[in-house]
Amino acid sequence: MQVPVHEYKLDNGLKVLVKQDKRAPIAVVQLWYKVGSSYEHNGSTGLSHVVEHMMFKGTQKYPTGEFNRIIAENGAEDNAFTGQDYTAYYQVIAADRLEVAFELESDRVRNLTLPPAEFKKEIEVVKEERRWRTEDKPTSLTREQFEAVAFLNSPYKNPVIGWMADLDAMQVEDLRAWYERWYAPNNATLVVVGDVEPEKVLELAKKYYGSLKPTENIPPPKPQTEVEQKGVRTIKVKAPAELPYIMMGYKVPGMINAKEKWEPYALEMLASILDGGNSSRLSKELIRGKEIASSASAWYSGFGRLPDLFSLSGMPTKGEKLETVKAALLEQVEKLRNEPVTADELARAKAQVIASEIYERDSQQNQANVLGTLETVGLGYKLADEYVDNILAITPEQIQAVAKKYLIEDSLTIAELDPQPIDPNKPKNTRSFVR
Amino acid sequence: MLKTIIVAPLVLLFALFTAQVSAAPKIEHWTTVNGLRVYYVPAPELPMLDMRLIFAAGSARDGAKPGLAMLTNAMLDKGAAGLSEDQLAEQFEAIGAVFSSSTSNDMGWAGLRTITLEKEQQAALELWLKVVSKPDFPQKDFERVQKLALVDLQGEKQDPASLGGKAFYQALYGDHPYGQPENGTEASVQALKVDDLKAFYQQHYVAKNGLLAIVGAVDRAQAEALAEKVSGALPVGEAAAALPEVKPLTEAKTVKIPYPSTQAHILVGQVGNKRGDEDFFTLYMGNQVLGGSGFTSRLMKEIRNDRGLSYSVYSYFAPSAQLGVFQVGLQTKLEQTDEALKVVRDVLGKFQQDGPTAEELEASKKDVSGGFPLRTANNSQIVEYIGMIGFYQLPLDYLDTFTTKVNALTREQITEAFTRRVQPDKMVTVIVGGDEK
């Protein structure tokens, strides 16, 4: 029971995707831009995310504060998110007020004023956000440094929120240049999911977005293809903490660059065999079974613009050592290389994929997210239609094959959090970063 | 299937205090033969079913054993009707069914999500009934769960937000059951025995102490049959006694917890209100203006927009069976702690005295009533709402009348309620971060 997606393109290059969902009289409206942290460069990390913050600071027509005021007046929810490969702005609004969302969002595609005084305050807010998200959280800090070391020249090495030094040095002119370069109708996709009529959505899109000028020659980002890894990388991250933690990641292909089309799907199933529910291997064998980990997880997604990692992480339970968890995770990888997964395990993993497809439709936001992501990273939203079939076609042999081919030591990065005593009288920022 | 993006939302969403409404789903209600209350909303559009069985079995029932309610709830799927946790997990997951469970201060609940293909739904229901009505509490699994609970407690010590939250509740409630940590203390968790859990389960997970919420692609007759089946698996039992009343603070208290973080985590507050409280709507709408509405609230304006002091700042009332909390929270870099705290106190004091302006109230009414259809747009939200309405025995037309009640409020009513219910000079202040000084 696929629901059709209506696809349109305006003359200025804006793509419009509409999916009906009449279960409630609401609509989710998202504008996705092809820009995110992986488009940024050394010294300028965090730009896309700071633009996101400044998007709420006014245009000529709607000065600072007006956007939020009007959104609230209409009882809408409104926010935005920045990732490695995209930035998306959204409203969830009563379907009969759709036009409000179109009017406000289209206005800030081109007309942001970026007032310096607002920037000065807002950059401080972003720094607080960074402290809150990363600086004071030992596992987040470990993850950030893990990614920075796993990649040498792929822009996935940079945190989405940016390095603190880059935030300190950021100027409002940097933002203006960034905004002018990437924020254009021909670099965006508008996604609408909800109780709407596709033709009416198109009409509104033309009315509000149609007159926006496209940017000619938006230069595609340079390749920045990650250099081949030549052996295992290991780091320790020292931070005030109570619990040790380990992250491991292998370089693997994504859908966008996989030479064999099935490989990313086999990797997804592999992640699911390890960590696709309470019956999966990591829960069953590390958390129960041997009882050595208090948490353990495996993660892969083939939906990036650039190749990414297949990653594993774990935390020892009381009385266990980090070494034991590390050995157990590596043993799990070894086992996947040596033996095919069982038919039962694979059937369970597939059953969950099918059920999730149905559950996902309970949320209009999720449906919109799928369309927006696929379109924005360059895979095309139609991939969503083949996804389940491609997953269901995966065999135990294929899973073993990707494990053998990609989960190898030479492309592995390991980061260990080494907890330091929590002493309130010790000065902050004494973390060392040992390679 | 999506990569988890590093989402950078501009405000935190605090679901627990958003008592909002929707283009209200009609709630049908009845009681089963053995006394289990049932709340049902048909949702035929998607082939899926959500059920949530809720009991008055939250941490406020822990007595002298903090952590008891939480661990009891966590043990449900660790072995039931002779099946091991591995077997239970395998059987749920083989049919794409999802078991969930959790506790709060008032409730302990267990949920099921399944697709409604006949065979799968039947199997999911049978399995779920084993978990909710025949848990085995195996000793070995209990010891593991206990150990994991201890790791969690240790983990909290590296999280200033958790440290602050716990200290806040303790300072506010003292000996009242709401003051005890839901996940216990190292000593209390260590002292728990399987027999404690079994006794807690037997007393609290019974028909007369609970309710069943059903949302999904089942018709009324099917829902009735489901409800009889679920309640038939439970003993009749007794409803739990009312919790003791909460005594408000009589003086201001400040708790400072040194911590080597870059930010200070600040919480300011006092006791708030109850579910079904006569001041519920006035306090709710007042708080929307003060710090509950996100981007446009006064606290957000003063703390974040005008001064860049914090990424997130909020206030909320968390109504419970007895007086819940009223809390204001934010984080700011250590050097700005005093400045931020002063702004919070100024905003709070001024609001308590003068209430919202006519303009603010008008804007807030538009926000709340315009957002009406958003709050119950999907099955997950609906099952949660009807569970809440059923648990606190709020009127069945609670969602229908919400907007009308909100729109009828005046500035004077809100100011009067805040003057009566909020005491800026008798608040708890918790600051985590900074050194011993």
Side-chain angles (χ1 to χ4, degrees):
Chain A
M1 51 176 266
Q2 286 291 349
V3 182
V5 174
H6 300 261
E7 178 188 357
Y8 309 100
K9 197 162 189 177
L10 303 192
D11 292 341
N12 60 11
L14 179 76
K15 189 168 270 191
V16 183
L17 302 177
V18 188
K19 194 175 177 185
Q20 271 190 333
D21 180 341
K22 300 203 157 205
R23 294 183 309 138
I26 68 159
V28 177
V29 187
Q30 301 180 332
L31 186 65
W32 292 73
Y33 291 102
K34 278 184 207 173
V35 67
S37 63
S38 72
Y39 291 68
E40 296 162 1
H41 300 279
N42 268 354
S44 301
T45 62
L47 276 173
S48 312
H49 173 253
V50 179
V51 169
E52 180 203 314
H53 277 239
M54 290 305 292
M55 277 280 193
F56 294 85
K57 296 299 172 187
T59 60
Q60 293 292 356
K61 198 167 167 195
Y62 300 106
T64 306
E66 276 300 279
F67 193 102
N68 291 330
R69 190 191 63 77
I70 296 170
I71 284 294
E73 190 170 57
N74 285 281
E77 279 171 24
D78 170 74
N79 219 320
F81 50 89
T82 303
Q84 290 175 314
D85 301 325
Y86 40 71
T87 312
Y89 296 82
Y90 68 86
Q91 291 82 37
V92 188
I93 194 162
D96 60 4
R97 301 182 191 194
L98 199 58
E99 197 159 354
V100 176
F102 275 61
E103 177 162 11
L104 287 173
E105 194 64 72
S106 63
D107 176 50
R108 60 182 184 176
V109 177
R110 284 311 211 182
N111 303 319
L112 219 53
T113 45
L114 295 164
E118 291 296 331
F119 168 72
K120 218 178 141 206
K121 290 183 286 186
E122 199 60 23
I123 194 74
E124 295 306 317
V125 170
V126 174
K127 289 182 206 170
E128 293 298 343
E129 183 181 354
R130 189 186 150 78
R131 290 182 188 105
W132 175 75
R133 274 184 199 288
T134 312
E135 312 270 325
D136 286 346
K137 286 189 179 147
T139 52
S140 304
L141 200 65
T142 305
R143 171 178 292 272
E144 184 176 89
Q145 303 214 344
F146 163 77
E147 282 169 358
V149 169
F151 293 108
L152 285 188
N153 62 325
S154 164
Y156 280 180
K157 71 189 279 110
N158 292 323
V160 172
I161 198 165
W163 299 107
M164 194 61 105
D166 295 351
L167 298 178
D168 282 335
M170 200 175 282
Q171 304 290 321
V172 75
E173 288 74 27
D174 302 331
L175 290 173
R176 197 176 304 280
W178 197 249
Y179 176 68
E180 281 168 7
R181 178 167 179 188
W182 297 109
Y183 297 72
N186 52 326
N187 197 40
T189 303
L190 181 68
V191 180
V192 181
V193 176
D195 188 5
V196 295
E197 298 304 322
E199 288 302 320
K200 173 83 177 147
V201 172
L202 175 63
E203 209 176 286
L204 281 181
K206 282 182 180 160
K207 179 173 170 190
Y208 288 103
Y209 286 89
S211 61
L212 300 173
K213 281 213 168 58
T215 297
E216 275 172 49
N217 299 322
I218 297 178
K222 291 189 177 170
Q224 300 196 71
T225 314
E226 176 68 7
V227 294
E228 196 190 342
Q229 191 170 334
K230 301 288 190 187
V232 63
R233 292 174 195 157
T234 310
I235 63 164
K236 269 199 184 9
V237 180
K238 292 184 175 180
E242 284 283 330
L243 302 166
Y245 176 66
I246 186 165
M247 285 206 68
M248 317 197 328
Y250 297 92
K251 300 266 167 65
V252 289
M255 306 239 176
I256 208 113
N257 73 315
K259 290 202 182 74
E260 300 289 344
K261 194 184 155 196
W262 56 269
E263 285 186 351
Y265 294 94
L267 286 162
E268 290 228 348
M269 280 290 96
L270 177 51
S272 186
I273 295 290
L274 286 173
D275 185 22
N278 205 19
S279 73
S280 58
R281 290 188 182 181
L282 295 184
S283 288
K284 196 169 162 180
E285 294 175 31
L286 269 61
I287 299 177
R288 302 194 295 278
K290 291 180 186 165
E291 295 191 15
I292 51 174
S294 64
S295 69
S297 69
W299 177 249
Y300 167 76
S301 165
F303 295 105
R305 185 175 69 86
L306 302 168
D308 207 336
L309 301 171
F310 184 102
S311 54
L312 297 149
S313 69
M315 203 174 255
T317 194
K318 212 172 159 57
E320 293 292 339
K321 288 199 159 53
L322 195 62
E323 273 306 305
T324 318
V325 174
K326 178 178 166 184
L329 288 171
L330 289 169
E331 190 190 326
Q332 286 295 327
V333 170
E334 194 57 34
K335 195 171 151 195
L336 285 162
R337 273 199 296 256
N338 294 336
E339 304 163 21
V341 301
T342 68
D344 273 1
E345 282 180 294
L346 190 56
R348 275 204 305 276
K350 289 178 177 177
Q352 290 179 69
V353 170
I354 296 169
S356 307
E357 278 288 301
I358 294 169
Y359 302 153
E360 190 172 81
R361 278 179 242 150
D362 191 35
S363 157
Q364 291 84 347
Q365 273 101 321
N366 280 352
Q367 298 178 61
N369 286 345
V370 169
L371 299 176
T373 308
L374 290 175
E375 197 56 33
T376 306
V377 301
L379 287 164
Y381 73 91
K382 286 183 179 145
L383 190 74
D385 292 341
E386 344 166 342
Y387 179 81
V388 172
D389 287 342
N390 288 339
I391 282 285
L392 295 185
I394 293 300
T395 66
E397 291 69 33
Q398 288 175 317
I399 295 174
Q400 188 177 7
V402 288
K404 270 187 172 159
K405 186 169 170 188
Y406 296 111
L407 306 194
I408 53 170
E409 197 185 67
D410 282 355
S411 72
L412 172 64
T413 302
I414 303 175
E416 293 177 22
L417 168 63
D418 182 5
Q420 302 298 300
I422 296 176
D423 177 354
N425 292 317
K426 259 223 171 100
K428 261 89 27 204
N429 301 322
T430 50
R431 300 180 283 274
S432 55
F433 181 40
V434 187
R435 211 165 238 216
Chain B
M1 65 182 277
L2 282 169
K3 182 180 171 81
T4 307
I5 36 175
I6 298 182
V7 180
L10 284 142
V11 280
L12 296 167
L13 302 172
F14 294 92
L16 73 152
F17 63 92
T18 48
Q20 293 109 337
V21 275
S22 116
K26 283 278 167 281
I27 304 169
E28 297 180 34
H29 167 56
W30 65 92
T31 302
T32 66
V33 174
N34 72 349
L36 181 70
R37 287 177 284 128
V38 185
Y39 298 81
Y40 157 70
V41 171
E45 295 88 349
L46 293 175
M48 57 186 277
L49 167 69
D50 283 280
M51 293 205 290
R52 188 177 278 208
L53 191 51
I54 307 176
F55 301 99
S59 59
R61 310 281 168 187
D62 280 348
K65 296 174 178 169
L68 176 59
M70 199 179 102
L71 263 69
T72 302
N73 183 273
M75 283 298 293
L76 293 177
D77 66 337
K78 303 296 180 279
L83 297 174
S84 69
E85 182 176 9
D86 282 354
Q87 289 169 319
L88 290 168
E90 280 168 12
Q91 291 184 24
F92 273 123
E93 287 166 13
I95 50 174
V98 184
F99 171 80
S100 55
S101 75
S102 189
T103 49
S104 65
N105 57 354
D106 289 336
M107 304 177 189
W109 61 264
L112 173 69
R113 170 166 273 199
T114 176
I115 51 177
T116 46
L117 290 176
E118 199 183 330
K119 205 173 114 230
E120 279 79 1
Q121 182 183 322
Q122 189 57 32
L125 177 69
E126 295 296 336
L127 202 58
W128 188 63
L129 285 177
K130 287 177 184 161
V131 168
V132 295
S133 69
K134 296 190 176 69
D136 292 330
F137 297 98
Q139 177 65 31
K140 188 174 179 304
D141 295 273
F142 167 69
E143 284 167 21
R144 178 170 45 82
V145 167
Q146 193 177 30
K147 212 154 73 170
L148 292 180
L150 291 169
V151 175
D152 278 345
L153 285 168
Q154 201 185 345
E156 283 183 353
K157 293 186 202 160
Q158 66 184 39
D159 178 18
S162 302
L163 291 174
K166 271 194 157 165
F168 181 83
Y169 274 79
Q170 201 174 20
L172 191 57
Y173 286 107
D175 304 335
H176 189 275
Y178 285 170
Q180 298 194 134
E182 202 178 327
N183 57 351
T185 64
E186 286 184 9
S188 75
V189 167
Q190 240 147 10
L192 288 175
K193 301 268 181 286
V194 162
D195 284 345
D196 298 326
L197 276 62
K198 282 184 180 163
F200 187 87
Y201 170 81
Q202 280 157 9
Q203 185 186 337
H204 293 93
Y205 285 67
V206 295
K208 282 197 168 165
N209 192 40
L211 69 107
L212 177 67
I214 304 175
V215 177
V218 290
D219 62 25
R220 168 76 188 232
Q222 289 167 320
E224 283 181 17
L226 277 172
E228 283 303 332
K229 192 140 195 192
V230 173
S231 71
L234 299 171
V236 177
E238 288 298 327
L243 294 170
E245 287 194 5
V246 174
K247 290 189 199 76
L249 286 181
T250 51
E251 55 181 7
K253 272 190 201 174
T254 300
V255 182
K256 286 190 87 169
I257 303 174
Y259 196 86
S261 46
T262 62
Q263 285 185 317
H265 291 246
I266 301 170
L267 297 173
V268 178
Q270 59 163 74
V271 296
N273 58 351
K274 295 181 195 179
R275 284 283 170 195
D277 197 298
E278 55 177 12
D279 291 323
F280 176 83
F281 289 96
T282 44
L283 295 178
Y284 172 76
M285 283 306 280
N287 183 67
Q288 284 293 108
V289 174
L290 175 64
S293 61
F295 294 116
T296 49
S297 78
R298 266 203 211 175
L299 282 167
M300 190 64 102
K301 180 176 177 302
E302 298 284 338
I303 300 271
R304 177 172 158 153
N305 298 350
D306 289 359
R307 295 180 179 82
L309 286 172
S310 185
Y311 171 61
S312 136
V313 56
Y314 62 84
S315 67
Y316 65 80
F317 285 91
S320 298
Q322 294 297 337
L323 297 173
V325 301
F326 165 66
Q327 188 181 79
V328 179
L330 77 150
Q331 315 84 33
T332 190
K333 70 175 168 185
L334 291 176
E335 299 77 20
Q336 298 170 165
T337 308
D338 293 344
E339 184 189 354
L341 203 50
K342 184 177 181 310
V343 181
V344 167
R345 288 189 174 136
D346 288 351
V347 172
L348 203 53
K350 191 171 176 337
F351 190 83
Q352 193 260 354
Q353 242 170 27
D354 305 339
T357 65
E359 219 177 12
E360 282 173 327
L361 180 59
E362 193 49 36
S364 226
K365 284 180 180 176
K366 282 185 184 163
D367 185 7
V368 170
S369 48
F372 188 78
L374 274 55
R375 320 303 179 192
T376 50
N378 55 50
N379 298 1
S380 313
Q381 292 168 323
I382 297 170
V383 81
E384 221 173 311
Y385 260 117
I386 66 174
M388 188 274 288
I389 288 168
F391 186 83
Y392 294 106
Q393 309 217 29
L394 302 176
L396 287 186
D397 65 357
Y398 177 82
L399 294 172
D400 298 302
T401 56
F402 197 99
T403 306
T404 321
K405 289 190 172 157
V406 156
N407 282 333
L409 293 175
T410 65
R411 271 193 67 220
E412 291 68 29
Q413 287 170 319
I414 292 172
T415 314
E416 189 274 329
F418 267 75
T419 312
R420 201 159 29 80
R421 299 289 295 258
V422 178
Q423 285 80 40
D425 57 336
K426 288 173 191 152
M427 295 219 168
V428 166
T429 304
V430 175
I431 303 163
V432 185
D435 56 25
E436 312 273 9
K437 284 177 281 178

